[in-house]
Each structure stands twice: as C-alpha cells, then as structure tokens.
Amino acid sequence: MSDTSLPEVARIARDLIRIDTTNYGGGRSNGEREAAEYVGAYLESLGLHPEYYEPIPNRTNVMARVKGRDPERPALVVHGHLDVVPAMAEDWSVDPFEGVIRDGMLWGRGAVDMKNMDAMILTAVAELLRAGEQPERDLILVFFADEENGGVEGSALVVKDRPEWFAGAAEAISEVGGYSISVDDRRAYLLQVGEKAMMWLRLVAKGRAGHGSRYHEHNAITRLAEAVASIGRTRWPIRLTSTTQALLAGLSELTGRPADDPDALAAAAGPAEAFLRSTFRTTANPTMLTAGYKHNVIPETAEALIDVRVIPGTEEDVLAELQRIVGDDIRIETVVRDIGMETPFAGELVDAMVAALGRHDPGVPVIPYLLGAGTDNKALASIGITGYGFAPLRLPADLDFTGMFHGVDERVPVDSLVFGQRVLTDLLRSC
C-alpha cells in the first residue's frame, strides 16, 4: 500500500514501530522520548495540550485531557505504553523496526504489543475532534514508558509523582482485551476484566570456585540447572477464579461442551489455546541464565531469572512452593512484584464496551477473561482506578495473535486496525 491509500491508523502505528523504543529491562532501554514527542505533536495538531513527565532521562510519559460533554461524570483513562521488548532481527522474516506492510498486514515490533492500540487511541480521538464532537465524559489520554519492565520507571512513577494527571478518573481501558478468537469456527471477543499477579524472581546458587578439570561436587551451575529444570517442568494445578469460571461458562455455551474440563475448552480456541490455559493456573517460566566467566573455571555463583504469574491471592503459597521445589540451598530474590486484580463483568463501562463491539460485529458474543500477564492498569489500581483491557480487533481465525505477544514476526491486519479505530471511536463517543 502507498502512504495515500494506507489508513491513518496504520500510518500512525507504522511510524511508531519505526521509532525503536526497545526496553531491555533493569533500566536498560533505548528510551521513549522520541515516540512521546511524536504522540505529543499529534495531540497538539488536534488542539490538545500535552504534558510530559520524564523522571529518568529519555524515559518519557505524555498525557493530554479531552473535555467531555458531561463534566459531572468520572473521567476515563485511555492509556497505552510506548516501549517494546527486544527483537532479534536475524529471527524475523522482515526488519522488526521497518514497519513493513505485506499481505495486508503491518509487521514489526509493537504491531501487537502495543503500538497498534496507541495508534487506535490517537486516531479515535482525532475522528471525534475533527468532526467537532466531544466524548461523553472527560478522557485522560496517557502514553507510558517502561511497561515492559513492569512499569517501574514508567507508570509507577507517574501515579506517584503526577497524581493530578488522573484527577476525577474512576476507570481505565488499555491493551490485551476486546480482540476476537475463533472457538470451534465461531468468533467470540475476549474482554479483559482481571490480571494475574506478577513476580519476577532471581534464583541464586552458590558453590565453590575451582578448576574446570577437577572432580567437583559443589558446582553452582549444576545446582542452578537442577533448580531451573525443576521449576520449568512443574505443572501447576488449575485454580479457578470467578473470572475464569465465567470464561469457561462462555466457552461452554459456544461449544456445547461441559465446563468441567478447562484445558479441553481452551483447546477449542485454536491458536489462543495456550494463552487461555495460562489463565487457569500459575505459570513459572525460566527466562534468563547467568553464570561463569571462562571455559575452564567453575564459578562460585550462578543465577537465573524466573517469570512467575500467579492467580490473585495465592502469591505467598506460590513463593513457598517455589522454595520447596528448588531446595533450601537456592536463594530466591524478588526483582519486581506487582498485584493481581479482578473486576466484575458488569457495570456501565462493561456494557458500553460490549455494545460497541455488537454494533460493529452484530451477534458475536463477548466473554470475560483473566489476563495471564499484566498491564499498566496495575499502577492505576493503586490510586483507585479500575482498569479493563479493551483494544478491539476483529482478527482472522487462523492468525495466532496471542502467540505474537513478545514473539517473532509480530503483525496485525490493517483491516483489523481500521475496525479497532471505529469501535473505539464509538465507545469514546458514547460511554
């Protein structure tokens, strides 16, 4: 597609993808300043007055407020994040930061998580304001830094240092909800009303340093490897919450299958199976290993990072079980820890989101679900704002959309972006 034929929402998403905002975690990042300035310039072109907050050099957050028709109603926070996880270019079939349009899809790091939604937010607001309309209530548009590091240098600092940005707000919408899945060849939409708790842990194994040629019973790497393998092989039990029970009821109604076998029902969701199965149980995945400094030296210390996502309310039980799994000679350190959340699938905003999807894709059911990961809604919850995941996308049945979060060859159909902008515009106009 040429620039003239490419819908504005896709152009904005492409432009943002081309700004490399890679976040390596632990304070290492390319930074979000350039992307925040791009967003701010776009907001200014709509007659808005963006404010910036950069608590750490180059880690920039941007906010603008849109006045609504009813100033008595609580404001709605509509937020995204500008950073992305790293992409290994050699693993991709396209340059992950080129923003390629191919086969009717926009490819690149952030096409799914979450520069697609950033573009949908901007263009939905633009559609309203260019038409001389106002949203039903005040909108607080926020684009955060550092979400891919748990928001430690982004939303966590913003809510602490700039609480006035959120004055009068009661609810929020952001990523990882409102998209379609295929269940036994029937389309359904998932609306995110909860998030698992997050614990990023470090395992530390101690041994005795020595020559790599010697007989050695106290090897830190061996101890660590055994602990990592034990965690990676652990199959955590299913533990349902009110949200996952509602999800199963919705899937059961769609498929005609009983709701007493969660994994079998998840399997009916095709490419989304693994994403849904992770919502029924705790997950603990080893993600990084660090040890050694020379081929013939046995190191004294070995470390591993574990990404643990926990059913809300079970955090202490999970930590105790992890210590039991690895044994007392492995130290477990907490790197980042954040809350889990659940919100009822009810209320005016939920009804408005369901209705907006129904107007643009009539007759397709909307089902609540618990996100197995986390978003910046966790930070907003700390100041009393209830968050939902609503980045509406009507997707092809065979596209493994959920599998592309932090994956290779991340891409989203251009038509899906256009659909999402229309639904979001409709929601912001009416909610």
Side-chain angles (χ1 to χ4, degrees):
M1 293 181 179
S2 67
D3 268 14
T4 55
S5 63
L6 193 63
E8 184 182 25
V9 64
R11 293 201 306 273
I12 300 295
R14 180 202 60 187
D15 290 351
L16 288 171
I17 287 169
R18 289 176 175 177
I19 302 172
D20 182 353
T21 54
T22 297
N23 186 350
Y24 299 94
R28 290 182 57 232
S29 171
N30 291 348
E32 297 85 0
R33 182 186 295 165
E34 184 181 353
E37 290 174 345
Y38 177 100
V39 168
Y42 187 92
L43 294 170
E44 285 182 359
S45 75
L46 302 177
L48 300 175
H49 305 286
E51 298 179 27
Y52 298 89
Y53 180 52
E54 189 176 280
I56 297 167
N58 213 31
R59 310 307 305 276
T60 314
N61 308 270
V62 57
M63 181 278 296
R65 195 167 187 125
V66 183
K67 290 296 183 183
R69 295 189 297 271
D70 185 354
E72 300 302 315
R73 292 194 61 192
L76 176 68
V77 181
V78 185
H79 63 99
H81 64 83
L82 297 172
D83 60 326
V84 296
V85 296
M88 305 298 288
E90 60 269 26
D91 297 334
W92 287 55
S93 58
V94 300
D95 181 338
F97 296 103
E98 188 178 349
V100 173
I101 304 291
R102 192 173 78 184
D103 303 326
M105 295 191 183
L106 172 64
W107 298 59
R109 180 58 89 209
V112 168
D113 184 11
M114 69 167 294
K115 291 177 176 179
N116 61 340
M117 177 60 168
D118 294 335
M120 287 157 52
I121 294 168
L122 292 171
T123 52
V125 171
E127 186 173 339
L128 289 178
L129 297 182
R130 288 169 183 164
E133 299 182 58
Q134 282 183 288
E136 178 64 24
R137 52 173 157 167
D138 281 13
L139 304 177
I140 302 169
L141 313 178
V142 188
F143 299 85
F144 290 113
D146 201 48
E147 192 274 348
E148 297 294 2
N149 187 46
V152 174
E153 297 183 347
S155 58
L157 295 180
V158 174
V159 299
K160 178 173 72 75
D161 299 337
R162 292 292 183 271
E164 67 275 9
W165 279 12
F166 307 99
E171 296 172 308
I173 59 171
S174 187
E175 59 177 333
V176 207
Y179 58 89
S180 69
I181 61 172
S182 182
V183 183
D184 279 352
D185 298 322
R186 293 185 61 190
R187 189 162 59 250
Y189 288 92
L190 296 178
L191 202 158
Q192 190 253 99
V193 297
E195 302 180 5
K196 289 166 73 176
M198 180 180 79
M199 295 189 294
W200 286 350
L201 306 178
R202 179 185 291 111
L203 306 185
V204 181
K206 290 284 189 178
R208 188 172 67 247
H211 199 289
S213 67
R214 66 174 291 176
Y215 179 79
H216 200 98
E217 292 183 330
H218 303 289
N219 188 311
I221 294 178
T222 302
R223 288 178 173 174
L224 180 74
E226 289 170 344
V228 167
S230 295
I231 288 176
R233 293 186 181 123
T234 297
R235 296 296 173 259
W236 297 81
I238 289 173
R239 190 160 180 169
L240 299 179
T241 71
S242 58
T243 301
T244 49
Q245 288 171 340
L247 167 67
L248 291 174
L251 294 175
S252 177
E253 185 176 346
L254 268 177
T255 63
R257 304 179 192 185
D260 58 1
D261 189 342
D263 287 338
L265 274 177
E273 175 185 1
F275 205 71
L276 294 182
R277 288 183 66 188
S278 71
T279 72
F280 303 143
R281 48 175 60 80
T282 287
T283 60
N285 286 305
T287 55
M288 292 182 68
L289 296 167
T290 305
Y293 46 91
K294 195 174 187 300
H295 204 133
N296 61 346
V297 178
I298 298 169
E300 183 176 344
T301 302
E303 299 182 356
L305 299 185
I306 312 294
D307 186 347
V308 187
R309 307 300 175 117
V310 185
I311 299 298
T314 68
E315 292 89 336
E316 296 306 319
D317 291 343
V318 167
L319 277 173
E321 178 63 11
L322 286 168
Q323 191 69 72
R324 187 199 66 77
I325 290 169
V326 301
D328 292 338
D329 60 344
I330 301 291
R331 186 168 77 249
I332 298 179
E333 300 175 349
T334 298
V335 180
V336 178
R337 180 168 172 174
D338 213 338
I339 60 171
M341 306 179 297
E342 280 193 285
T343 301
F345 184 60
E348 289 185 12
L349 181 56
V350 168
D351 291 344
M353 291 187 283
V354 172
L357 283 169
R359 286 190 289 272
H360 293 266
D361 200 358
V364 178
V366 181
I367 303 172
Y369 89 109
L370 177 75
L371 176 63
T375 74
D376 285 319
N377 278 328
K378 293 180 186 294
L380 295 175
S382 71
I383 54 173
I385 296 172
T386 301
Y388 302 88
F390 190 72
L393 296 167
R394 184 171 58 198
L395 299 163
D398 60 350
L399 182 68
D400 186 7
F401 181 76
T402 58
M404 288 187 287
F405 281 87
H406 299 189
V408 173
D409 284 344
E410 198 176 332
R411 60 199 183 275
V412 63
V414 171
D415 288 348
S416 298
L417 294 174
V418 173
F419 174 86
Q421 177 195 332
R422 289 172 179 165
V423 175
L424 196 57
T425 302
D426 195 348
L427 175 70
L428 300 182
R429 179 186 288 120
S430 61
C431 75

